Amino acid sequence: MADLNQYMNKAFDYEEQGYVEEAIQLCRKCMQAFPQYKNEIEFEIAKMNYRNGRKEQALGMLMALYQQTGDSIIHDLILGAYYAERQQEYEGHFRENCKLLKSYPHFFVNTEPSDIRYYPISSGENNIWYYDSIEQGFHRIERNRIAMEKGVDEVSIANDLLWMEDILLLEKMTRKVEPLMDEENAILLVYRKITWELLLQLFDLEKLIEIDRIVFYDDANRLEESFVEKGISFPKIQVGNFPEQLAELLGSFYRKRIQMHVEYQERAQKYYQENSEEVLEHIRKGRPKIFFITSRFTTALQYHARDCKRAAEQMGLQTEFSIEEDRILTKGSAFFDLKKIAEFQPDIIFMLDHFRYENRFLDGMDGVVCVCWIQDTLPWIFSKETALKQKERDVVISIFWNWEGFQKIGYREDRLLQSPMVANSEIYHPYVLSQKEKKQYGCDICFVCHWFDADSHTKQYAEQFPEGVREYVQDLYWSYSDYVRSTEHIFMKLEEFQLFIQSFIAQFYKIELREEFLAQLAEDMRTSLNMRLYRELLVDWLIDAGYGNIKLWGNGWGDKEKFKPYAMGPAQNGETLSKIFQASKIVVGNNIALSGASRVAEAMLSGAFYMANYIPPEADTCNIRDWLKEGDEIVFFKDKEDFLNKVHFYLEHEEERTRMAEIGRKKALEKLTYQKFMENSIKEMGNMF
């Protein structure tokens, strides 16, 4: 024993002098010479490693010794040396993470966690050691690395990910490639109680929460709520531990949802087969139940659906609403709409820009009335095939009702209703403006629209064509732009563009265009290119005429030096926009495709004087003159001279301007609100059936 102490003291001297490796080698020789003291010498080597910064090596030795001996001294040393020194940090992470997660929407765990049972001891590159405070044992979790070399545009699920690099890699590799608005793929992180407690102690989760597409679970059984109730799509990518168990669980949830889908469909089909006449009777009496289906991945349509629902409720009607909760809860399938239909039993299913035939879950439910309120010139809407798919109880409400281009499609006249673009009179109305708001929003002439450079559009549009064709398209577009800027005359009719294109191509390129290519070019020139040029012309005319009290609200205006002094940035829809209209003396219409744009109703309901640009009736896709009398209830301007003359007149004659604004608001309240739209639609459908 004396010899052992002598050698060990020499080893400690080596350590003190900085010769750590030599000290450890000497200790190992002592183990060979004195095998009966092997555990004691290993304990000293472990402490030597710890004192000299080799904490991971020391921990491995201490854990092995504790498992062999159960020595309480080693137990206490591990806790004191590895947990106690970082205990405040771990507890701080735990408290802050729990606080953050309470307000985090993608969170399927106990918001009030119990006392911590599992303590992190050491977190290394490949292993995490932890302590079970109830069993009083130390355990290790090995890292199961994620190997993803290419991105996969899918929902993913992972078990027990405890390394931040792995979580961030999974996030990076599963991002949506072409998201619709802010839509994203969910990442489902599933933990057991052990790993969940360790995660909360080891990391600050704020960075993961900011990503806003990670869903946390502290129990795999909580997944069922997500798939069966909330609507997260089933994952295609699975990583982490226990893959077989998780796959089996997911399979059971999927089978359950399929079974419930069948049950709801059978239930709904039976209801409409047995109550077909009652559905129509509810509509005739003006008391239908309405189910509104929309998506948050639209711009304006989701708000239009919301406002229709609100108007229906003000009529005393029962309603339900279908929309995704957030950007990752995408309803997964038709199951969630079908469930609401089976439970709510609506008389009317109301959609915007979409039809019954697009929703296969409605098969066998011919008894329900499906309404499509058409608002956009989308390919499937302007398709004769879509019109042929109409069923007996499919109703189309169209803002394009009186336009020749729409009438050619072939929708059934006895199932077709006309509507204007309307606005929410609870949002768009006169407000009491503060002095600050009057100064901030007030002006002589107001534009609310985006502006984008016509020449930039020409380059971007031409890029989609093959190199040989690209030059022709650019020359054509620049030729029309030069014509508009030099003559200050703009085309309105599709036929005018077709003639211009044919003449240009025949004169300079001596070729004949295919009919479909001619139609494509003419339509883009009439809408996208023409809109940019027209808005540019209107503002140029005002500035060149000396008008300086102009405010240009929307994106893009600040990009052009001439317009920059008047650029105000985007206008927030709703109350702010209503105040902008109200504070402006003249609100200028500038939509060359339709005179009945939503801006008409929004401006007039706000109490503003709205002056619309003239569109020939045959080219006007939504003609406001179907609802307001030209000259008596709404003012139009036709060309540069007429525009500037009317701007001058109405700025100089406040009484007449105010009178027209009052007439406009009165007529808008009578005809251009969601309340009137819903009342008229229900009444017309009652007559229709």
Side-chain angles (χ1 to χ4, degrees):
M1 184 65 178
D3 290 339
L4 175 60
N5 289 336
Q6 182 181 351
Y7 288 126
M8 290 300 295
N9 287 333
K10 190 171 183 179
F12 295 143
D13 289 340
Y14 281 154
E15 179 192 5
E16 193 172 333
Q17 294 168 24
Y19 302 116
V20 179
E21 201 58 48
E22 288 80 356
I24 292 174
Q25 288 300 324
L26 182 55
C27 290
R28 293 196 185 283
K29 288 180 179 179
C30 289
M31 287 171 61
Q32 293 173 357
F34 304 96
Q36 67 273 34
Y37 296 107
K38 178 178 177 293
N39 289 342
E40 288 83 350
I41 298 170
E42 280 193 340
F43 188 33
E44 294 301 330
I45 294 173
K47 290 191 288 183
M48 198 175 288
N49 275 319
Y50 183 87
R51 287 194 296 268
N52 289 278
R54 302 176 180 184
K55 293 188 175 182
E56 195 167 345
Q57 290 173 270
L59 181 61
M61 295 182 70
L62 291 170
M63 289 295 185
L65 281 169
Y66 180 66
Q67 288 171 359
Q68 292 173 27
T69 65
D71 191 332
S72 61
I73 295 175
I74 299 174
H75 171 279
D76 294 344
L77 177 61
I78 294 172
L79 286 179
Y82 288 89
Y83 175 70
E85 69 171 9
R86 298 185 64 183
Q87 182 176 355
Q88 288 187 335
E89 177 190 345
Y90 293 147
E91 290 178 349
H93 280 158
F94 191 88
R95 286 193 305 271
E96 290 303 311
N97 286 330
C98 289
K99 192 185 298 181
L100 284 170
L101 290 168
K102 279 186 178 180
S103 58
Y104 183 57
H106 314 312
F107 180 52
F108 293 85
V109 304
N110 293 310
T111 53
E112 297 294 339
S114 57
D115 292 338
I116 300 172
R117 172 176 174 175
Y118 303 100
Y119 301 147
I121 299 301
S122 172
S123 176
E125 185 178 349
N126 296 303
N127 298 287
I128 290 176
W129 285 94
Y130 68 92
Y131 177 67
D132 184 337
S133 61
I134 293 180
E135 294 182 358
Q136 296 188 346
F138 297 97
H139 305 277
R140 183 179 63 170
I141 295 174
E142 292 186 15
R143 183 177 185 177
N144 190 350
R145 288 181 178 273
I146 295 177
M148 296 182 74
E149 296 180 359
K150 298 191 298 186
V152 184
D153 187 357
E154 295 288 356
V155 174
S156 57
I157 190 166
N159 292 65
D160 293 338
L161 287 194
L162 284 176
W163 279 263
M164 186 62 71
E165 298 92 329
D166 293 335
I167 298 174
L168 294 177
L169 175 62
L170 183 63
E171 191 280 325
K172 178 182 177 182
M173 302 304 281
T174 59
R175 292 172 189 165
K176 209 152 195 52
V177 177
E178 295 181 357
L180 182 62
M181 298 177 69
D182 66 340
E183 182 185 17
E184 257 301 351
N185 295 319
I187 300 172
L188 315 178
L189 297 186
V190 185
Y191 295 90
R192 295 168 292 153
K193 178 176 173 59
I194 299 169
T195 50
W196 179 245
E197 286 191 3
L198 293 175
L199 180 79
L200 294 186
Q201 293 175 84
L202 286 169
F203 300 109
D204 178 355
L205 298 186
E206 186 172 7
K207 186 175 182 179
L208 298 183
I209 287 173
E210 287 174 355
I211 293 170
D212 193 36
R213 70 183 186 96
I214 295 176
V215 190
F216 295 102
Y217 305 84
D218 67 349
D219 184 342
N221 292 311
R222 291 176 178 270
L223 286 166
E224 182 172 356
E225 184 180 352
S226 287
F227 297 127
V228 179
E229 300 294 333
K230 292 291 185 179
I232 291 179
S233 298
F234 278 86
K236 299 288 182 66
I237 306 300
Q238 184 176 328
V239 297
N241 301 319
F242 315 114
E244 297 83 7
Q245 295 176 22
L246 188 57
E248 185 179 343
L249 195 62
L250 291 175
S252 69
F253 297 153
Y254 185 75
R255 290 189 294 273
K256 181 175 181 179
R257 200 162 84 176
I258 291 296
Q259 181 183 352
M260 292 173 69
H261 185 284
V262 172
E263 290 173 358
Y264 283 129
Q265 189 151 40
E266 290 175 350
R267 180 173 157 189
Q269 288 173 346
K270 182 180 179 183
Y271 173 80
Y272 290 111
Q273 288 167 3
E274 296 177 351
N275 296 276
S276 177
E277 184 55 34
E278 286 80 355
V279 166
L280 296 186
E281 189 61 25
H282 295 160
I283 296 173
R284 293 187 197 111
K285 290 181 177 179
R287 306 300 300 171
K289 295 196 291 184
I290 309 177
F291 179 36
F292 294 91
I293 299 178
T294 188
S295 172
R296 74 187 303 275
F297 303 114
T298 66
T299 48
L301 296 188
Q302 59 177 305
Y303 304 112
H304 294 179
R306 174 204 64 191
D307 291 339
C308 285
K309 179 180 185 294
R310 171 69 175 150
E313 289 171 346
Q314 290 174 336
M315 294 168 61
L317 304 182
Q318 295 181 54
T319 69
E320 274 288 351
F321 200 60
S322 171
I323 190 169
E324 300 88 353
E325 286 187 25
D326 52 52
R327 69 187 193 138
I328 64 172
L329 294 174
T330 57
K331 292 192 293 189
S333 71
F335 169 75
F336 301 94
D337 288 337
L338 182 58
K339 179 183 177 185
K340 283 193 175 181
I341 290 170
E343 294 173 346
F344 181 55
Q345 298 174 339
D347 303 300
I348 295 173
I349 296 175
F350 193 107
M351 296 172 280
L352 287 88
D353 284 349
H354 291 282
F355 300 85
R356 180 199 297 264
Y357 79 87
E358 298 175 73
N359 299 282
R360 296 300 303 274
F361 64 86
L362 293 175
D363 289 351
M365 300 183 209
D366 293 353
V368 70
V369 173
C370 283
V371 174
C372 171
W373 186 15
I374 292 173
Q375 298 194 3
D376 296 291
T377 55
L378 297 165
W380 63 87
I381 289 174
F382 280 75
S383 165
K384 291 183 179 181
E385 290 184 8
T386 296
L388 291 172
K389 293 175 182 176
Q390 268 189 285
K391 293 202 168 189
E392 179 64 25
R393 295 191 180 184
D394 285 353
V395 177
V396 173
I397 305 176
S398 176
I399 67 170
F400 310 119
W401 182 83
N402 213 14
W403 178 42
E404 183 182 355
F406 179 77
Q407 292 175 344
K408 291 178 180 177
I409 302 169
Y411 288 107
R412 288 178 50 171
E413 291 186 14
D414 62 338
R415 294 292 180 265
L416 186 61
L417 299 178
Q418 182 186 20
S419 78
M421 289 295 290
V422 296
N424 187 335
S425 57
E426 294 181 342
I427 297 174
Y428 293 95
H429 61 79
Y431 290 85
V432 177
L433 302 182
S434 66
Q435 290 301 316
K436 180 181 177 181
E437 289 171 330
K438 289 177 182 178
K439 183 177 180 181
Q440 183 179 359
Y441 305 137
C443 64
D444 287 341
I445 306 162
C446 165
F447 285 75
V448 178
C449 54
H450 301 310
W451 178 82
F452 301 104
D453 181 42
D455 294 335
S456 296
H457 173 73
T458 295
K459 293 175 184 176
Q460 291 171 2
Y461 185 71
E463 283 295 321
Q464 68 179 290
F465 296 101
E467 193 169 342
V469 180
R470 195 176 303 157
E471 180 185 349
Y472 301 160
V473 174
Q474 285 186 340
D475 287 349
L476 169 67
Y477 273 49
W478 279 326
S479 178
Y480 176 68
S481 299
D482 290 342
Y483 167 80
V484 168
R485 288 163 178 155
S486 60
T487 64
E488 297 185 328
H489 172 71
I490 197 155
F491 296 159
M492 290 286 186
K493 301 177 185 177
L494 192 63
E495 295 81 3
E496 293 176 302
F497 286 99
Q498 290 174 336
L499 286 172
F500 182 88
I501 295 168
Q502 287 171 327
S503 300
F504 179 86
I505 295 295
Q507 180 179 354
F508 295 103
Y509 295 104
K510 312 298 183 185
I511 60 174
E512 188 173 333
L513 293 179
R514 294 196 313 271
E515 188 175 333
E516 60 269 24
F517 188 37
L518 172 64
Q520 179 186 347
L521 289 173
E523 183 58 31
D524 184 75
M525 288 181 72
R526 186 181 74 88
T527 53
S528 300
L529 179 66
N530 218 29
M531 187 76 79
R532 289 160 170 78
L533 289 168
Y534 190 53
R535 289 171 177 172
E536 178 183 305
L537 271 185
L538 292 177
V539 180
D540 274 340
W541 291 343
L542 290 171
I543 295 172
D544 293 345
Y547 291 100
N549 192 9
I550 304 169
K551 287 189 174 173
L552 307 174
W553 296 90
N555 294 322
W557 293 105
D559 296 339
K560 186 170 182 178
E561 203 61 36
K562 185 175 182 179
F563 300 156
K564 198 171 185 178
Y566 315 99
M568 304 301 296
Q572 184 178 351
N573 279 315
E575 181 177 327
T576 299
L577 181 56
S578 186
K579 289 178 178 180
I580 288 170
F581 287 141
Q582 182 184 346
S584 307
K585 292 180 181 178
I586 298 176
V587 177
V588 178
N590 51 74
N591 192 316
I592 51 88
L594 64 163
S595 61
S598 57
R599 292 287 181 248
V600 180
E602 292 167 352
M604 287 185 169
L605 288 171
S606 300
F609 169 66
Y610 182 87
M611 188 164 69
N613 57 291
Y614 177 84
I615 304 173
E618 62 272 24
D620 199 341
T621 57
C622 178
N623 195 339
I624 195 62
R625 287 159 288 204
D626 289 337
W627 294 277
L628 301 177
K629 293 178 183 177
E630 183 177 352
D632 294 333
E633 297 169 354
I634 186 170
V635 174
F636 285 89
F637 61 89
K638 291 190 175 181
D639 52 27
K640 177 181 179 181
E641 183 180 2
D642 191 31
F643 177 53
L644 294 177
N645 285 340
K646 284 176 177 171
V647 166
H648 176 75
F649 175 82
Y650 284 104
L651 287 178
E652 292 295 317
H653 296 81
E654 183 178 355
E655 290 183 6
E656 183 61 16
R657 187 179 74 242
T658 302
R659 186 183 76 84
M660 289 301 297
E662 290 173 351
I663 291 173
R665 174 162 164 73
K666 179 184 176 184
K667 292 299 175 182
L669 284 169
E670 290 175 3
K671 301 177 180 181
L672 305 180
T673 67
Y674 281 97
Q675 289 83 354
K676 292 298 179 183
F677 167 75
M678 289 303 299
E679 288 171 7
N680 291 338
S681 297
I682 299 300
K683 181 180 178 181
E684 294 275 349
M685 279 189 278
N687 295 332
M688 179 185 292
F689 291 109

